[in-house]
Amino acid sequence: METGRLPLLIHAAATLYMTGLIWFVQVVHYPLFSRVGEAGYRQYQVAHQNLTSLVVGPAMLAELVTAVWLVLADGRDAWRWVGLAAVAALWASTALVQMPLHAALAAGFDAEVHGRLVASNWVRTVLWTGRSGLVLVLIARAWPSR
């Protein structure tokens, strides 16, 4: 395998992993927050934040680093720039919207905050889904038919 393809494969793996994960979070995990119950909710939310960081952090970091790498390797490819912009939007949404909402929920369950978390997470769900299509196109272009 060409070494130039390795960053693309790592990038694709991280993006596809995050796409599957975000759909699970959006459809199953976040909606179930409302069923945890008041008694243990604060502890649940703190544990959730800590454990989620272990599952999400490495993949998001790999996706970011390889998105930058792909642009640096061929900055003339507009689709690589689109992909990097989408990664930046995902990081911004996570840091500026979802993380503060999780922090608010760490004080105790609040139905309004929970509703905002579920609704705002659709932005990340759509972005990661679109990025999956983009990385599949990039892979197809990297392996032309013979």
Side-chain angles (χ1 to χ4, degrees):
M1 171 185 353
E2 289 179 30
T3 57
R5 291 181 181 166
L6 184 60
L8 177 57
L9 290 176
I10 293 169
H11 185 70
T15 297
L16 295 170
Y17 169 83
M18 287 304 301
T19 302
L21 182 61
I22 202 70
W23 274 100
F24 172 80
V25 166
Q26 184 63 35
V27 174
V28 177
H29 189 61
Y30 280 177
L32 290 177
F33 277 14
S34 64
R35 296 189 181 189
V36 172
E38 288 291 323
Y41 189 81
R42 292 171 79 186
Q43 296 85 352
Y44 171 83
Q45 187 60 230
V46 170
H48 167 269
Q49 288 173 308
N50 292 334
L51 295 171
T52 297
S53 295
L54 297 174
V55 173
V56 172
M60 285 184 69
L61 188 57
E63 185 180 39
L64 173 63
V65 168
T66 55
V68 170
W69 189 337
L70 291 173
V71 166
L72 292 175
D74 184 1
R76 296 166 297 157
D77 186 347
W79 289 113
R80 293 176 184 221
W81 284 101
V82 169
L84 180 57
V87 169
L90 285 160
W91 276 75
S93 180
T94 299
L96 301 174
V97 180
Q98 282 74 40
M99 287 175 69
L101 292 171
H102 277 288
L105 288 170
F109 184 78
D110 178 314
E112 188 268 328
V113 173
H114 175 250
R116 287 190 358 235
L117 177 66
V118 173
S120 67
N121 196 57
W122 277 110
V123 170
R124 295 190 307 171
T125 304
V126 168
L127 282 171
W128 261 308
T129 301
R131 285 196 35 70
S132 284
L134 175 62
V135 298
L136 293 174
V137 167
L138 292 175
I139 287 172
R141 288 176 27 198
W143 274 272
S145 58
R146 295 177 189 212

